Amino acid sequence: MKIVPISLPTPFYIGPVNVYLIPEDPITLIDTGPKTKEAVETLRAALRKEGLSVSDIRRIVLTHAHEDHCGLARALRDEAKDAEVLVHGWETGHRAGRLEYDETRQLLMRAGVPLDEVEVMRRMYEGVRQYADSLDDDHCDQLTDEAEIEFESGALQVVHTPGHTPGSCSFIRHADRTVIAGDCVLKRITPNPMLSPDPIDPTRRFRSLAEYLVSLARVRALAPTLVLGGHGDSVQDYEELFNRYLRAIDERQLQIIRMVPAEGASAWDVSRAMFPGTDDVHRFLGVSEAVAHLDYAHSEGKLAMEMGDGREVYRRLS
Ligand SMILES: [Zn+2]
Ligand SMILES: [Zn+2]
């Protein structure tokens, strides 16, 4: 079973996205790229090289529902005459625009983000949404952990790897332990666990960093020989990357705990202290990272947290 990597341009800061074609029956595309003319043209050219066209695609599998990965899913599905679209059920909230949801807004306010900033973030994400068509629940089938995605000459097994988003999935080809990991494993950057509502109880926050650490360990237990990520080069030495990630996460934990002043601070205050010069686009990522780390430090008993004035205030332990 051949896996063909295809790099597609995106309008985002992160740069090109990797999608993966399995050019055998049923012809399958893992991730789609954003809804831009450049991405769809690059994709068509790559399919042509394999002697294929969009109408040959029978199945679209999504690692997660960020615009750079899922943006073209609906358009390709329509052009391919109702190809099947598969995504984990916990990605529902992401498919239709994140900050539209009252829940996310509530979470941002609880994290201490001022109202005018919440508004800036909402507008920014409405801008990003143009790069994806939303998919309704009845357009998709659900990926479930450990399910087999079968092909003529082999199979990929679904490995639910939440963290970056709640419904992020990876896929393993057991024959040679190749893992397609989406944004769970990226060679050069530590992926950012994004602030999102818990898929089971949307009034709560998804424990992104704690979940992410479990997912990283789960991928490690698969002993992958090759990891194909959503951006950048593939990873041959996952063990080295795994240890590097853990060190980076430990360092960030220490840094963040030190940044909490004696009088206490919200996640927003901490993110502004940590990333003082960031522009609009990156403030959501900044507060996501601060929340993820503060939550984790709190759950590990390294910080105290209490509600004050409708927002969470973290304090150092005396
Ligand atoms: Zn992503
Ligand atoms: Zn991505």
Side-chain angles (χ1 to χ4, degrees):
M1 197 187 88
K2 193 162 101 173
I3 299 174
V4 181
I6 301 171
S7 171
L8 299 177
T10 82
F12 304 119
Y13 178 78
I14 190 142
V17 61
N18 300 323
V19 306
Y20 297 94
L21 171 73
I22 290 99
E24 70 173 64
D25 275 340
I27 290 166
T28 298
L29 191 62
I30 299 185
D31 286 346
T32 67
K35 196 183 78 174
T36 65
K37 206 165 145 257
E38 294 76 15
V40 81
E41 277 170 7
T42 311
L43 177 64
R44 283 186 205 287
L47 289 169
R48 259 198 310 276
K49 259 172 111 177
E50 295 295 318
L52 297 169
S53 69
V54 169
S55 57
D56 295 315
I57 297 173
R58 299 310 331 133
R59 195 160 55 186
I60 295 164
V61 177
L62 301 173
T63 58
H64 66 298
H66 280 159
E67 290 78 1
D68 45 344
H69 298 261
C70 74
L72 284 169
R74 202 176 79 193
L76 297 178
R77 179 194 77 112
D78 292 349
E79 188 176 335
K81 302 264 176 321
D82 293 331
E84 195 184 5
V85 180
L86 292 151
V87 62
H88 193 278
W90 283 5
E91 288 297 277
T92 319
H94 290 261
R95 284 206 301 272
R98 275 155 280 185
L99 294 180
E100 218 169 50
Y101 281 89
D102 278 349
E103 288 95 352
T104 306
R105 190 188 158 81
Q106 297 300 331
L107 296 183
L108 287 171
M109 290 174 61
R110 249 170 48 201
V113 180
L115 261 179
D116 56 331
E117 283 287 343
V118 173
E119 192 50 29
V120 169
M121 289 176 188
R122 186 180 65 78
R123 280 203 300 273
M124 186 184 85
Y125 272 92
E126 275 172 6
V128 170
R129 262 196 17 225
Q130 64 180 294
Y131 299 110
D133 284 321
S134 60
L135 284 158
D136 296 329
D137 283 337
D138 58 358
H139 289 161
C140 304
D141 288 308
Q142 289 201 9
L143 289 172
T144 52
D145 191 39
E146 296 192 349
E148 300 267 330
I149 302 174
E150 288 178 16
F151 295 88
E152 212 169 51
S153 74
L156 289 171
Q157 190 175 35
V158 179
V159 187
H160 182 206
T161 44
H164 176 66
T165 64
S168 283
C169 283
S170 302
F171 307 96
I172 180 163
R173 175 172 64 186
H174 281 293
D176 64 351
R177 301 198 309 272
T178 293
V179 175
I180 297 172
D183 286 356
C184 177
V185 178
L186 302 175
K187 188 159 187 175
R188 256 186 291 269
I189 11 172
T190 320
N192 199 336
M194 300 262 199
L195 177 71
S196 47
D198 187 289
I200 309 286
D201 175 2
T203 64
R204 299 168 56 134
R205 243 186 340 251
F206 180 63
R207 302 274 153 183
S208 54
L209 185 54
E211 293 278 347
Y212 184 56
L213 287 165
V214 173
S215 294
L216 288 178
R218 196 165 171 211
V219 172
R220 186 193 195 195
L222 299 170
T225 57
L226 181 68
V227 184
L228 304 169
H231 305 273
D233 293 339
S234 59
V235 174
Q236 261 114 26
D237 190 350
Y238 179 76
E239 193 63 22
E240 185 274 330
L241 185 95
F242 175 82
N243 287 309
R244 186 148 51 82
Y245 274 5
L246 290 200
R247 280 197 304 275
I249 289 168
D250 272 355
E251 272 167 33
R252 186 48 45 104
Q253 279 281 291
L254 285 175
Q255 187 192 10
I256 246 172
I257 291 166
R258 279 199 301 263
M259 272 187 170
V260 174
E263 69 275 18
S266 69
W268 171 253
D269 298 333
V270 171
S271 77
R272 297 311 296 142
M274 220 164 46
F275 311 108
T278 45
D279 57 15
D280 290 357
V281 185
H282 293 102
R283 272 181 243 162
F284 177 74
L285 299 179
V287 77
S288 281
E289 178 148 0
V291 166
H293 277 274
L294 290 164
D295 265 351
Y296 191 62
H298 175 235
S299 72
E300 294 270 285
K302 292 174 185 158
L303 284 175
M305 194 256 284
E306 61 202 45
M307 287 300 280
D309 239 358
R311 48 177 223 152
E312 289 150 338
V313 178
Y314 297 86
R315 278 179 216 288
R316 291 214 208 156
L317 300 170
S318 40

